[in-house]
């Protein structure tokens, strides 16, 4: 949420005061949802990996913002996911398989049991969701897109609460509400000067 508007400044994007306020509210909400009440706020190996991932996703959002108005969204998603990324995907897949074989002992039965989840992830997440992101982001400010994408943590927490019976504290629920309010506020039209 924070990186997209900051990186956007270097790409000539200047989010207004309202968007910066929405970003700040969303970050506070994310803190309340994910970190409030924890004993330590120090970054461990996993958090550093997530921070690196945030840098990459921020770059992706800004690249989609830059190229999507110039290209057909569906063709861009198909070419980006199939043609242009074929070699990196194969390399990434190869590295992942090597590490899987080193650190785990997979069986054919495990692959069979996970086949539906793997297919769903490949088709729905990589295919459908990525294509919809490119098409939907065509006319959307990248800062608003990053705010909307952060609702993933809100919906996963609420789904866990409603469907799986997980517990959410009042602080975490307030974080969800604050993030959702920030998204709604970012979409409200600016007042026209008379």
């Amino acid at each position: 949420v924070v990186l997209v508007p900051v990186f956007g400044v270097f790409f000539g994007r200047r989010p207004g005061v309202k968007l910066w306020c929405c970003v700040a509210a969303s970050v506070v909400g994310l803190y309340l949802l994910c970190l409030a009440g924890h004993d330590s706020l120090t970054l461990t190996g996993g958090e550093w990996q997530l921070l690196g991932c945030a840098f990459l996703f921020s770059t992706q959002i800004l690249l989609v913002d830059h190229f999507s108005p110039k290209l057909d969204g569906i063709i861009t998603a198909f070419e980006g996911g199939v043609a242009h990324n074929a070699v990196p995907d194969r390399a990434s897949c190869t590295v992942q398989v090597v590490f899987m074989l080193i650190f785990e002992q997979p069986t054919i039965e495990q692959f069979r049991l996970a086949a539906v989840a793997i297919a769903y992830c490949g088709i729905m997440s990589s295919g459908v969701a990525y294509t919809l992101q490119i098409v939907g982001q065509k006319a959307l400010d990248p800062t608003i897109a990053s705010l909307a994408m952060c609702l993933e943590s809100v919906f996963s927490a609420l789904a866990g609460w409603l469907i799986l019976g997980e517990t959410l504290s009042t602080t975490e629920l307030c974080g969800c509400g604050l993030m959702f309010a920030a998204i709604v506020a970012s979409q409200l039209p600016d007042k026209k000067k008379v």
Side-chain angles (χ1 to χ4, degrees):
V1 173
V2 175
L3 295 177
V4 170
V6 170
F7 288 178
V9 170
F10 297 108
F11 289 98
R13 286 272 188 189
R14 303 265 191 254
V17 174
K18 179 181 84 170
L19 280 182
W20 280 111
C21 291
C22 291
V23 165
S26 182
V27 169
V28 170
L30 192 60
Y31 169 79
L32 293 174
L33 177 61
C34 300
L35 297 173
H38 290 259
D39 294 335
S40 173
L41 297 180
T42 57
L43 298 179
T44 62
E47 282 87 11
W48 283 109
Q49 290 173 354
L50 287 173
L51 188 59
C53 187
F55 276 94
L56 294 174
F57 273 117
S58 299
T59 303
Q60 176 195 358
I61 290 169
L62 289 168
L63 288 173
V64 168
D65 174 64
H66 178 74
F67 289 110
S68 66
K70 301 171 184 157
L71 305 167
D72 179 86
I74 295 174
I75 293 173
T76 303
F78 179 76
E79 288 178 351
V82 177
H84 297 144
N85 288 336
V87 173
D89 283 348
R90 287 186 199 133
S92 172
C93 183
T94 302
V95 170
Q96 291 171 17
V97 168
V98 167
F99 280 107
M100 176 188 67
L101 293 173
I102 291 171
F103 295 109
E104 300 176 11
Q105 292 76 39
T107 65
I108 298 296
E109 180 63 15
Q110 289 172 329
F111 286 116
R112 188 187 68 72
L113 292 172
V116 173
I118 292 169
Y120 177 83
C121 182
I123 294 167
M124 296 305 293
S125 177
S126 299
V128 175
Y130 182 67
T131 302
L132 291 176
Q133 175 192 345
I134 290 175
V135 171
Q137 199 179 326
K138 193 171 222 170
L140 193 60
D141 183 282
T143 301
I144 294 173
S146 70
L147 285 167
M149 288 179 204
C150 277
L151 280 179
E152 175 187 0
S153 57
V154 172
F155 287 116
S156 63
L158 291 175
W161 181 53
L162 293 171
I163 297 169
L164 300 176
E166 295 176 355
T167 58
L168 283 178
S169 68
T170 304
T171 303
E172 291 167 331
L173 286 171
C174 288
C176 289
L178 190 56
M179 288 179 69
F180 189 74
I183 303 299
V184 171
S186 73
Q187 295 296 306
L188 295 176
D190 293 325
K191 292 181 181 178
K192 293 184 180 180
K193 294 179 181 177
V194 181

